[in-house]
Amino acid sequence: MTHNKILSTEELLESFRAVDELDELRRDLERRRERGVATLVDGVSTSFSDGWDKPDSPLTDLLLRRVKHLAFGLGLPVAAEDFPAIAHLELYKKRDEARIRTLFPSMPADEGSAASSDDGEISVLLAAQHLRTVIDELPLADDSTSSANDGAPLGYIPTSAFNCIYRILREVLTVDLPSGHFGAAKAGENGGTLSTFVTTECARAIGRLAALFDGTASMLQEVEQITEYIELVDDATSLPETPLDQKWTEGEIGRSGIALATILRDSSSSSLLRVDTLPNALDSVSAAQSVWEGLRRFCARSLAQAEQALEDIERFRTDESLTNQLSTSAPPGAGPNSQGSKQASSSLSRFALTSTPHDFAQATILSVTRVLEELSAQATSARERPRVRRAGKEGLRHVAVILRRCLGPMRSFSRALLFERLWQVSQQNAQDRIHDLVFAADTAGSLGGDWATGPFRDVVKTALDALGKAGQFPLGPPFQVSKGGKEKRAINAHVIRALAHVAEKSEYDLSTDDVRRLALSLESDAQHENGKLSWTRVGASDHGQSSPWVSAVNLLALDRLVRCVDAQINRQVRGCFLSFSPESLSSKPRIRDLICTDLGVASMDWSERERAPVTHDLEWMRAHVLSAQGRRVKSTVSSAILYGPPGTGKTTLAESLAASCGVPLIVIAPSDLLRDGPDKIELRTELILSMLCSVTRSVILFDEFDPVIRTRKKVDPSHALTPLSFLTGNMLPRLSRLHEAARRRSFAYLLATNYLELLDDAAIRPGRFDRRVGIYNPDLASRMCRVVSQLKTAINDPDIELSDGWSERAARAVVATRGLSLATLASQDWFILPRSAGKIRASSLWSFVVLGEEEPRWPLPSGTSDWSSFGAGGEDKPAHPMALAETAELALCAWWEDAAEGCSTSWIRILEVARSDRAGVLEKYRSDVAALRASRLRGIRGSEGDSTLG
């Protein structure tokens, strides 16, 4: 969806007030979250020695691990060894009979062994929590020390995770008697009742695992593309038929290395492969290859664990069958209505009911095992490598499909219950069903994905209406009752966490009063003391002892509420300006598709230092934006000035950055400031910049913003002053504030201008903008290198057959595309070769070069040949660098055309001559360059002394 409107000042002021109030509430919630996490981490480090209840359940340990991940994401110092170790969380090892009975409480107990009765009673809930925790922090293999330095991913899926999958699936696939429900879960077999809370926890765990398998396949797809491209570029310099410029080669490998590092860091939160060290940019090929080797190791280790789990499951079922036979044998002489006969009948029914679910759950683990076995196979030769890699990605996606198929019954149950509870609450005022309503909505929406069309906004409104003034939801039904009559319920924080997730995904706009009431709900059992924040047991009369379990649950709810407010602020800010959603940017080129535009210009010795290509800066900015999602590639680049003549692709670069990050693009133009005339400019500027400081995970483009930060020095008298001319001084602190907010909130902003020399020096210095990059139409060397690299792909592709004369036609294509913009050349059918010959469109560049068809109709250049208007002359103004580059471009193109027409040797020979003679060609036209005043531009340097020529 794209918003395209300019609000009046009154509308803008109203939106600002709403955003500002939400932002203030968010800052308060963030402070509380950080204090609470720090307090709990401190409690863990001191073994909860003072003022804390002692953790007495594996469930508490699991929640503490979740809080540890939250602390890492907030950048808090955390000692991992202080937290319960994964070995301690291996609850269900084969030789630990007590632990196995915790998961399978119906197993016969050995004399002298004792399992926790409480843990056994909530075995399903414990399995869901354990699975969710262990897949987010996979244990390291025993041999991980020896492979830690090769960059390969570490870890494996432990036996306990497979056991938990079996336990969850068996539970949700068992028909409940007498209700007849299917697809719901109880907390345990003894004393448990069907619970939407437990069902939600089970769905989250299985859904998260399926998403990680899908994410691993997607990550490997990107790694494979980068690997192929790096190998292509690196190999092209050594082949006699593809002489590429060394600068271009190093630049492309460096950019690919940054992209690979970002993807590998992403693996810590979105895939099953965890990489401990980042690759060096020049060693990206070996790093990418180690990822595939890491996948093989991961699958081999996980395969052994899955086979162990199948043995555990089979042994459990055998023991369960023996138990059933003993319990179904009625005492001698007992009548059909005796107590012993009734117990035997109940046991028989329970065993029969679990027969089919057992088979299905076991078959699911077996299917995953077979896929892991295929993926653990090692390629025996380089020829086999593509097949193995393709099978690896397909296998991972197949596992995700298997797991999601198991989620179907839970989705059906939750959706049916959602409508039933919504009717009961709205029509019968059944306030005690609010818990069921919220959890059912969370599960149904997460599994169905129909957030925009379902009744989820009605659920949020209904739940908020039921929220009392004190911020407490009515008490819900217990999900488990122990033998002693003790009831277990989901607490208020569980409901708020689920409700905030539903509100975020359904894009329900919470009022500031709603946020305050939800925040107040999390304060009911909170303790503030000496700058610390913790929570006591729910309803405890003594507020002296803090509960690790209650504190962890409240912190996870607080974090979800912060993310919900984040999303709402972003929506409200985007609705005030021209903005583009990630879906509307899906057709835009990614950073990897862009062309290095200034290879030839950069090779001219006009700068003291060379700077990295613009694609490097975009990759670093991408890493910065994605860092908000738990990805830790450190980047100091959050902003840049893109300058150059009109039509050279500055807007395309901003769109490419947003599309590559998968985040919205917000466009701010001077018209947003001028909407209501000169009298309102100052106010509108302050409102707009303040609102932009509140966004997260976005890309902002200030388009044609020259008049807003125009230089305050003496200007050309022919340029009349405008109402925007007086804004420069007041923009300085606003830009500094925006720069600080970008670092903190992980958004990026770009300023596009045609006239860098007309911008105020103070406004564009470091601390307000990190980079200054000249953007021009791709020059001859840049176009030549891109065409050669794409042709190398065609040469190695067995599905594409090059027709005779392809080299001469490629030379013609490079010359004919002079003056075309980055936006044109970075699109399909131009300088991006389709994956197969069948996808090459007729009358395109590649149908001409590769297939030998008729020469296409070349589009008219989008740039201008008159560079004098961009600073080419005058006593007080130095020459614009592109005016110098244009002269050299004309010379090279003219020489190229003459050589292409007159040379009888192959096109490859022409490339070799062109590269070796470049210095001579440039020297020949040095006098023309001097005539255009080749002196350095004032203020052209980048933030680190880099010349804008780079």
Side-chain angles (χ1 to χ4, degrees):
M1 181 177 181
T2 301
H3 302 279
N4 188 5
K5 58 182 177 181
I6 301 179
L7 301 183
S8 67
T9 302
E10 289 73 18
E11 293 172 326
L12 190 63
L13 184 59
E14 183 180 353
S15 297
F16 165 76
R17 287 170 178 163
V19 170
D20 188 55
E21 289 182 5
L22 283 174
D23 190 35
E24 184 178 353
L25 288 171
R26 178 177 61 179
R27 289 195 297 269
D28 179 62
L29 292 172
E30 288 173 336
R31 287 191 293 267
R32 289 165 55 186
R33 178 183 61 181
E34 186 169 339
R35 285 172 52 207
V37 171
T39 301
L40 192 58
V41 168
D42 182 63
V44 171
S45 64
T46 59
S47 301
F48 298 105
S49 58
D50 185 21
W52 290 90
D53 290 335
K54 294 295 183 180
D56 58 356
S57 168
L59 198 59
T60 302
D61 294 343
L62 295 170
L63 286 172
L64 291 178
R65 302 297 292 190
R66 301 278 295 279
V67 174
K68 187 200 80 168
H69 287 291
L70 181 56
F72 278 138
L74 296 176
L76 298 178
V78 178
E81 60 272 12
D82 290 337
F83 281 78
I86 281 292
H88 175 62
L89 297 178
E90 286 284 345
L91 305 176
Y92 322 118
K93 292 184 176 180
K94 179 178 179 181
R95 296 181 180 178
D96 192 341
E97 299 295 337
R99 301 273 186 203
I100 294 177
R101 283 196 305 279
T102 298
L103 185 60
F104 306 123
S106 60
M107 286 182 65
D110 294 337
E111 183 178 356
S113 66
S116 168
S117 60
D118 286 345
D119 293 341
E121 289 175 349
I122 58 170
S123 58
V124 178
L125 179 59
L126 193 60
Q129 293 280 15
H130 178 78
L131 178 60
R132 179 66 189 272
T133 303
V134 80
I135 61 177
D136 282 338
E137 186 174 349
L138 295 174
L140 299 181
D142 295 336
D143 61 342
S144 60
T145 302
S146 62
S147 61
N149 296 324
D150 62 4
L154 310 174
Y156 61 94
I157 302 177
T159 302
S160 62
F162 292 105
N163 283 334
C164 289
I165 295 171
Y166 168 81
R167 187 69 182 89
I168 293 170
L169 296 183
R170 180 181 133 149
E171 173 64 27
V172 299
L173 296 176
T174 300
V175 177
D176 178 65
L177 295 179
S179 68
H181 284 306
F182 175 71
K186 297 178 181 178
E189 294 181 1
N190 301 320
T193 59
L194 288 184
S195 167
T196 52
F197 166 65
V198 179
T199 305
T200 297
E201 292 298 308
C202 292
R204 284 173 177 168
I206 299 294
R208 172 66 173 161
L209 184 59
L212 288 177
F213 272 101
D214 256 342
T216 305
S218 299
M219 185 266 282
L220 291 174
Q221 177 70 31
E222 292 191 67
V223 169
E224 184 176 28
Q225 291 177 353
I226 292 176
T227 305
E228 291 176 350
Y229 186 67
I230 293 176
E231 291 175 342
L232 167 74
V233 171
D234 193 42
D235 188 47
T237 57
S238 62
L239 295 179
E241 290 193 343
T242 52
L244 296 183
D245 188 280
Q246 189 63 29
K247 293 180 183 295
W248 181 84
T249 303
E250 293 175 357
E252 287 298 283
I253 292 178
R255 180 198 62 75
S256 300
I258 300 171
L260 181 62
T262 304
I263 292 170
L264 295 183
R265 271 305 186 200
D266 184 21
S267 67
S268 64
S269 60
S270 62
S271 80
L272 292 164
L273 301 182
R274 314 293 156 85
V275 179
D276 195 41
T277 57
L278 289 180
N280 181 283
L282 297 180
D283 196 28
S284 298
V285 174
S286 61
Q289 291 173 349
S290 72
V291 171
W292 289 99
E293 174 59 21
L295 174 65
R296 191 193 64 80
R297 294 181 195 171
F298 172 88
C299 293
R301 295 164 181 161
S302 299
L303 173 62
Q305 300 294 312
E307 291 172 343
Q308 179 66 67
L310 287 171
E311 292 181 14
D312 288 346
I313 293 168
E314 189 62 36
R315 185 164 57 90
F316 155 68
R317 190 62 177 175
T318 301
D319 292 342
E320 191 178 39
S321 176
L322 293 174
T323 304
N324 176 73
Q325 293 175 14
L326 293 175
S327 61
T328 55
S329 301
N337 296 324
S338 65
Q339 184 67 24
S341 296
K342 291 181 180 179
Q343 291 178 352
S345 176
S346 174
S347 178
L348 179 61
S349 299
R350 186 164 53 247
F351 183 79
L353 284 172
T354 59
S355 179
T356 300
H358 160 78
D359 293 340
F360 185 89
Q362 188 179 41
T364 300
I365 304 297
L366 187 59
S367 297
V368 175
T369 302
R370 289 170 179 167
V371 174
L372 291 174
E373 185 176 7
E374 294 177 0
L375 297 181
S376 60
Q378 190 171 13
T380 57
S381 64
R383 184 183 299 273
E384 288 288 310
R385 192 180 302 162
R387 182 192 61 79
V388 172
R389 291 180 176 180
R390 183 169 58 252
K393 292 178 293 184
E394 293 174 354
L396 291 168
R397 291 194 172 96
H398 181 61
V399 172
V401 170
I402 292 174
L403 294 173
R404 288 201 171 93
R405 189 180 300 139
C406 299
L407 293 171
M410 282 186 273
R411 177 180 180 271
S412 300
F413 167 79
S414 300
R415 191 164 184 83
L417 190 66
L418 165 62
F419 288 99
E420 179 183 336
R421 293 292 186 260
L422 187 59
W423 182 85
Q424 289 177 341
V425 173
S426 59
Q427 300 297 324
Q428 298 181 342
N429 198 28
Q431 299 298 305
D432 60 333
R433 299 301 182 184
I434 290 293
H435 285 215
D436 282 350
L437 174 64
V438 174
F439 290 131
D442 191 12
T443 305
S446 299
L447 301 184
D450 53 343
W451 294 106
T453 58
F456 303 104
R457 294 188 181 183
D458 293 335
V459 170
V460 178
K461 184 179 184 304
T462 301
L464 291 173
D465 291 341
L467 190 63
K469 292 184 178 179
Q472 294 294 314
F473 287 103
L475 198 63
F479 59 77
Q480 197 270 343
V481 181
S482 66
K483 294 179 181 179
K486 184 179 178 180
E487 297 180 341
K488 290 185 172 70
R489 288 182 171 87
I491 64 176
N492 213 49
H494 285 125
V495 185
I496 291 177
R497 181 181 172 215
L499 182 63
H501 185 244
V502 175
E504 177 188 351
K505 294 299 183 180
S506 64
E507 298 189 354
Y508 182 92
D509 286 335
L510 299 171
S511 67
T512 53
D513 183 59
D514 293 333
V515 178
R516 287 192 184 95
R517 289 193 295 155
L518 291 171
L520 182 62
S521 178
L522 299 175
E523 282 286 318
S524 58
D525 297 296
Q527 290 193 132
H528 299 267
E529 184 178 355
N530 299 327
K532 296 183 177 181
L533 175 61
S534 60
W535 282 261
T536 63
R537 296 184 305 276
V538 178
S541 57
D542 179 15
H543 279 246
Q545 296 292 108
S546 298
S547 168
W549 180 80
V550 178
S551 296
V553 172
N554 275 272
L555 287 172
L556 293 175
L558 195 58
D559 179 64
R560 174 56 68 181
L561 184 57
V562 169
R563 286 191 274 174
C564 176
V565 177
D566 270 350
Q568 181 167 331
I569 290 176
N570 287 348
R571 288 197 306 272
Q572 292 189 0
V573 173
R574 293 201 306 268
C576 297
F577 310 105
L578 173 63
S579 66
F580 302 90
S581 66
E583 294 75 20
S584 65
L585 296 171
S586 60
S587 62
K588 300 299 180 180
R590 300 302 191 263
I591 297 176
R592 64 175 178 266
D593 299 326
L594 299 178
I595 303 173
C596 178
T597 63
D598 52 1
L599 181 61
V601 178
S603 66
M604 302 176 189
D605 189 20
W606 292 339
S607 60
E608 297 173 1
R609 293 180 57 185
E610 294 182 2
R611 71 176 317 279
V614 61
T615 50
H616 284 214
D617 291 331
L618 291 180
E619 287 288 3
W620 283 121
M621 294 175 78
R622 174 176 176 242
H624 167 73
V625 172
L626 296 181
S627 66
Q629 302 168 13
R631 306 165 189 180
R632 299 185 180 89
V633 177
K634 293 184 178 180
S635 171
T636 59
V637 184
S638 61
S639 57
I641 296 176
L642 308 178
Y643 64 91
T648 51
K650 296 183 288 295
T651 302
T652 299
L653 291 174
E655 293 172 340
S656 176
L657 175 60
S660 299
C661 295
V663 300
L665 173 66
I666 303 173
V667 181
I668 308 296
S671 57
D672 289 296
L673 311 182
L674 294 169
R675 163 67 163 76
D676 289 338
D679 295 341
K680 301 290 186 179
I681 288 179
E682 183 66 31
L683 174 61
R684 292 182 65 87
T685 303
E686 175 63 26
L687 295 177
I688 290 172
L689 269 294
S690 297
M691 293 176 71
L692 293 178
C693 288
S694 302
V695 302
T696 58
R697 296 182 296 277
S698 303
V699 175
I700 302 169
L701 172 64
F702 295 98
D703 196 19
E704 305 296 342
F705 237 58
D706 319 64
V708 181
I709 52 175
R710 188 177 292 272
T711 180
R712 291 167 291 177
K713 295 181 180 180
K714 180 181 177 182
V715 296
D716 192 333
S718 62
H719 290 108
L721 295 178
T722 68
L724 297 174
S725 302
F726 302 96
L727 283 176
T728 302
N730 291 335
M731 284 294 295
L732 303 184
R734 291 166 182 160
L735 289 173
S736 297
R737 196 166 72 241
L738 184 68
H739 187 268
E740 181 182 352
R743 296 294 178 90
R744 186 176 66 255
R745 297 289 180 196
S746 293
F747 65 84
Y749 61 96
L750 304 165
L751 186 146
T753 177
N754 298 332
Y755 308 94
L756 178 68
E757 65 272 17
L758 298 182
L759 301 184
D760 190 79
D761 289 338
I764 60 177
R765 67 176 47 156
R768 298 187 177 102
F769 289 94
D770 299 316
R771 291 288 188 270
R772 308 176 200 172
V773 186
I775 307 299
Y776 312 110
N777 292 333
D779 61 20
L780 178 66
S782 301
R783 301 196 307 276
M784 176 186 73
C785 291
R786 170 52 70 93
V787 168
V788 171
S789 70
Q790 297 295 294
L791 284 172
K792 177 62 167 55
T793 303
I795 292 172
N796 292 335
D797 192 337
D799 295 332
I800 298 179
E801 183 177 353
L802 293 171
S803 63
D804 295 337
W806 61 267
S807 59
E808 288 75 12
R809 292 193 299 274
R812 168 61 184 154
V814 171
V815 174
T817 52
R818 174 183 174 272
L820 295 185
S821 70
L822 173 66
T824 299
L825 297 183
S827 59
Q828 289 286 347
D829 297 324
W830 285 103
F831 275 27
I832 298 179
L833 178 66
R835 286 284 179 177
S836 64
K839 295 183 179 180
I840 297 179
R841 186 174 55 84
S843 302
S844 66
L845 182 147
W846 296 112
S847 67
F848 168 63
V849 173
V850 175
L851 304 180
E853 296 180 357
E854 184 180 356
E855 183 170 345
R857 182 177 180 180
W858 307 106
L860 296 175
S862 57
T864 175
S865 298
D866 183 12
W867 294 97
S868 61
S869 60
F870 296 96
E875 292 298 325
D876 298 328
K877 280 197 301 184
H880 192 281
M882 204 55 203
L884 315 179
E886 177 74 0
T887 301
E889 172 83 353
L890 288 171
L892 285 171
C893 279
W895 181 88
W896 181 287
E897 289 177 335
D898 292 342
E901 292 177 0
C903 186
S904 58
T905 59
S906 70
W907 178 55
I908 303 307
R909 174 59 183 161
I910 299 175
L911 291 181
E912 293 173 350
V913 174
R915 186 170 60 169
S916 61
D917 285 3
R918 178 185 299 142
V921 173
L922 294 180
E923 185 63 31
K924 179 179 182 298
Y925 286 90
R926 183 70 67 174
S927 58
D928 295 334
V929 169
L932 289 173
R933 297 187 55 81
S935 59
R936 300 286 298 276
L937 270 175
R938 172 197 53 79
I940 284 184
R941 294 177 180 273
S943 60
E944 298 177 359
D946 300 336
S947 168
T948 54
L949 293 175

